[in-house]
Amino acid sequence: MSDKPEVLFVCVHNAGRSQMAAALLHHHAAGRVVVRSAGSAPADTVNPAVVAAMAELDLDLSHEFPKPLTDDAVRAADVVITMGCGDACPVYPGKRYLNWELADPAGRDVEHVRPIRDEIDRRVTALLAELVPGHA
């Protein structure tokens, strides 16, 4: 059993929002949080505009790939953050669920992905301050 909080980010395709959120939390947490992401209907690849927007922050998503949502991933998480996956995410008693309403970066160019990335970064920073007080 880990003493680190575990966070799971879920969106439909695991190709945009959840990938950005996972990379940003992983970066900011610097090992203090276990971070995963998944999709209820994973795409084949991560959105290229998302990869480009994250590269601007020196975060490399070029080797990441969309992963399927599993019951095990949800069970392992202390906090499950959904981003437009609707009812596709399994709900377990005792888990903390948050739903972040965010624009979908699918089909958008990097210029339109930046504001989504920046909003996710703001929310991730606030979540980290909550999960690991005094260390954010």
Side-chain angles (χ1 to χ4, degrees):
M1 222 35 187
S2 173
D3 60 345
K4 296 178 188 178
E6 296 195 27
V7 177
L8 173 64
F9 293 102
V10 182
C11 66
V12 175
H13 300 298
N14 191 222
R17 294 166 288 192
S18 57
Q19 290 280 351
M20 288 190 284
L24 288 161
L25 182 56
H26 180 76
H27 171 73
H28 292 308
R32 296 184 305 255
V33 177
V34 176
V35 184
R36 293 185 181 87
S37 72
S40 54
D44 293 329
T45 59
V46 175
N47 179 330
V50 166
V51 173
M54 296 302 285
E56 293 175 350
L57 301 179
D58 291 326
L59 297 174
D60 183 9
L61 294 188
S62 66
H63 300 292
E64 292 296 327
F65 59 93
K67 294 163 271 317
L69 178 63
T70 64
D71 279 355
D72 288 345
V74 177
R75 281 192 187 104
D78 297 304
V79 181
V80 178
I81 299 174
T82 58
M83 304 171 169
C85 72
D87 296 333
C89 187
V91 176
Y92 294 102
K95 298 289 175 195
R96 179 177 174 201
Y97 289 87
L98 300 172
N99 184 45
W100 289 357
E101 293 290 336
L102 297 158
D104 188 345
R108 298 177 188 230
D109 61 20
V110 70
E111 181 179 332
H112 293 94
V113 171
R114 281 185 199 113
I116 300 167
R117 174 202 66 198
D118 294 345
E119 176 60 18
I120 291 171
D121 193 37
R122 185 189 68 71
R123 293 180 190 207
V124 159
T125 302
L127 177 67
L128 180 59
E130 205 180 293
L131 293 174
V132 188
H135 291 93

